[in-house]
Amino acid sequence: MEYDMKKMTMILATWLMLTSHVQAQMVQENEAAIVYYMPKTELVITLEYDVIKRTPGVFYQYAERYLGTKEVVIESSVSYNLQQMKVDMLTSADTERAYKVTPQKGVNTQLLALSEDGRLLGYNIGLDTLSDSKPNIQNSTCKTQHSTSLMPLLEEHFMATSIAKMAEGAAKMIYRIRETRLNILAGDVEHVPADGEAMRLVLNELNQQEQELVELFVGKTSIEHGTHTFVYTPQENVEREVVCRLSQHNGVVSKDDLSGEPIYLTLEASKQSLDHMVESNSKAPMLSQIYYNLPGSAKLTIEYKNKNWVSAAYQIAQYGVAIPLAQDLFIGKQAPIIHINPQTGNILSIQ
């Protein structure tokens, strides 16, 4: 079976010291060895929020007089409202937990499958079975579509001698549009739209014109959807650590910027430990140089404005311990097929 050279690294080194939680492993001079790494878990935290922009209309002072409403935008403003928070897993190679495999009885180093960054993915598995997807990490803002047309007034309104006269003319156009729409719906017009589609197009156009005129009085409100993503690497326990802040007017800001409300992160680690190591005696199986990872876990809580937006448990690869596979697996005419979870380093299956 052929493997992409990017997925297998044959090291012929003069010196290289690699460390792990179990033991330090050194590649000796002129020693042919393959080095692989245990996985490391990172948490990709994404904030999803709305950006609400408000712009006053030019006739806002006359909204109550001509339209009978006090619900008016009187000054420009921008506000950010958190809508959702989600957590994805990102896996990379843990260079502090490295292992080497040298040619030995029953173990064919060419059958080792490695990820591009050197994590062990399996033994004697086909390349088409490898799956190591990563979440998309990017910050973005999706703008809503709104009209960019000029002020929907007639020439006679622009020739008015005062802003009050212009506002009066705009209000008359609003009432005229409403009357026209009512007459069309009642069939009380000389030329009724030919069919349902024509009726829909006419009514949509009237509604659009009315909205643009009304916005001259009550103002315009638009909503944009934005995301902000950051990566957090679990290490030790943390209690309500401020990871960033969300300002109502400036969006996501640094944790040192007191203009924003703090977003707290709490992490309760549950690390694996080996209570009983395998004793080296005649009855114990021989241990190979191939290790898999038994991951630990952590409970993650993210709090904002006295509300828990995230509260869940996740498997954390670096909280785990390395377990050696028995040499007995590799004795026989047929090589075993071993699939390893690319995110946690744990064994998925052995055939």
Side-chain angles (χ1 to χ4, degrees):
M1 185 180 298
E2 295 183 357
Y3 286 90
D4 191 335
M5 293 303 294
K6 291 183 179 179
K7 297 197 179 284
M8 303 188 65
T9 306
M10 181 65 71
I11 295 184
L12 296 170
T14 55
W15 64 273
L16 179 63
M17 177 67 75
L18 298 168
T19 59
S20 70
H21 289 294
V22 176
Q23 61 186 30
Q25 299 191 346
M26 178 182 292
V27 178
Q28 305 296 333
E29 183 177 359
N30 296 326
E31 180 184 22
I34 286 182
V35 174
Y36 64 91
Y37 304 101
M38 290 298 177
K40 179 172 64 176
T41 302
E42 296 174 306
L43 302 176
V44 181
I45 303 171
T46 302
L47 311 179
E48 298 182 2
Y49 52 85
D50 286 342
V51 185
I52 304 175
K53 296 183 178 182
R54 296 180 175 87
T55 306
V58 294
F59 303 142
Y60 74 91
Q61 294 175 311
Y62 304 92
E64 184 176 4
R65 178 191 301 181
Y66 292 117
L67 300 185
T69 179
K70 295 182 179 180
E71 300 294 327
V72 178
V73 178
I74 60 175
E75 62 180 8
S76 298
S77 65
V78 178
S79 61
Y80 292 75
N81 292 329
L82 184 63
Q83 297 297 320
Q84 186 179 2
M85 195 180 298
K86 64 179 183 178
V87 178
D88 295 307
M89 312 290 283
L90 179 66
T91 308
S92 60
D94 190 347
T95 57
E96 295 183 357
R97 301 175 68 198
Y99 297 84
K100 70 176 182 179
V101 181
T102 56
Q104 57 180 305
K105 184 179 179 180
V107 177
N108 185 351
T109 55
Q110 293 184 356
L111 294 182
L112 289 169
L114 305 182
S115 66
E116 292 184 356
D117 58 0
R119 287 172 288 125
L120 183 62
L121 300 179
Y123 183 82
N124 191 25
I125 60 177
L127 291 178
D128 56 345
T129 65
L130 299 181
S131 177
D132 189 21
S133 60
K134 296 181 179 180
N136 185 26
I137 303 177
Q138 61 179 359
N139 300 325
S140 63
T141 301
C142 178
K143 295 184 178 181
T144 55
Q145 298 295 324
H146 52 78
S147 173
T148 57
S149 61
L150 298 177
M151 189 181 296
L153 299 178
L154 301 179
E155 180 181 1
E156 60 185 88
H157 302 130
F158 286 107
M159 296 180 63
T161 57
S162 66
I163 189 72
K165 284 293 184 180
M166 292 179 66
E168 181 182 358
K172 288 181 179 179
M173 288 184 65
I174 292 174
Y175 293 126
R176 193 178 307 150
I177 290 172
R178 292 175 178 176
E179 183 179 358
T180 300
R181 182 173 55 220
L182 183 60
N183 291 335
I184 291 176
L185 292 174
D188 190 16
V189 291
E190 183 176 353
H191 300 288
V192 179
D195 52 33
E197 180 62 19
M199 173 77 77
R200 185 185 67 82
L201 293 175
V202 170
L203 292 177
N204 285 346
E205 182 62 26
L206 290 174
N207 292 338
Q208 180 66 27
Q209 292 178 8
E210 180 185 0
Q211 178 182 347
E212 293 178 2
L213 287 166
V214 169
E215 286 176 349
L216 297 177
F217 291 89
V218 301
K220 179 181 295 185
T221 299
S222 63
I223 300 178
E224 301 174 1
H225 303 286
T227 61
H228 182 86
T229 300
F230 61 94
V231 178
Y232 185 85
T233 303
Q235 294 177 346
E236 301 298 328
N237 288 339
V238 294
E239 180 70 24
R240 300 189 84 224
E241 176 185 348
V242 179
V243 290
C244 65
R245 293 174 182 267
L246 182 62
S247 168
Q248 186 176 2
H249 302 294
N250 299 318
V252 180
V253 296
S254 69
K255 61 183 180 181
D256 300 323
D257 190 339
L258 300 183
S259 67
E261 289 283 342
I263 295 178
Y264 296 105
L265 184 146
T266 298
L267 193 72
E268 301 176 35
S270 179
K271 298 182 179 182
Q272 288 284 4
S273 63
L274 291 179
D275 297 330
H276 303 287
M277 299 296 294
V278 178
E279 297 181 1
S280 54
N281 53 48
S282 58
K283 295 183 179 180
M286 291 181 60
L287 302 182
S288 76
Q289 301 169 353
I290 301 178
Y291 290 80
Y292 68 92
N293 188 51
L294 187 62
S297 62
K299 181 181 179 182
L300 175 69
T301 304
I302 304 180
E303 177 187 350
Y304 174 67
K305 287 188 174 181
N306 298 320
K307 175 184 176 181
N308 288 342
W309 289 77
V310 174
S311 181
Y314 300 90
Q315 286 190 313
I316 307 298
Q318 58 267 34
Y319 289 169
V321 293
I323 308 294
L325 290 169
Q327 181 69 32
D328 299 4
L329 287 172
F330 304 92
I331 298 177
K333 295 182 179 180
Q334 187 173 358
I337 300 174
I338 304 174
H339 286 85
I340 293 179
N341 189 318
Q343 279 76 43
T344 63
N346 203 358
I347 290 181
L348 291 176
S349 64
I350 299 179
Q351 300 176 16

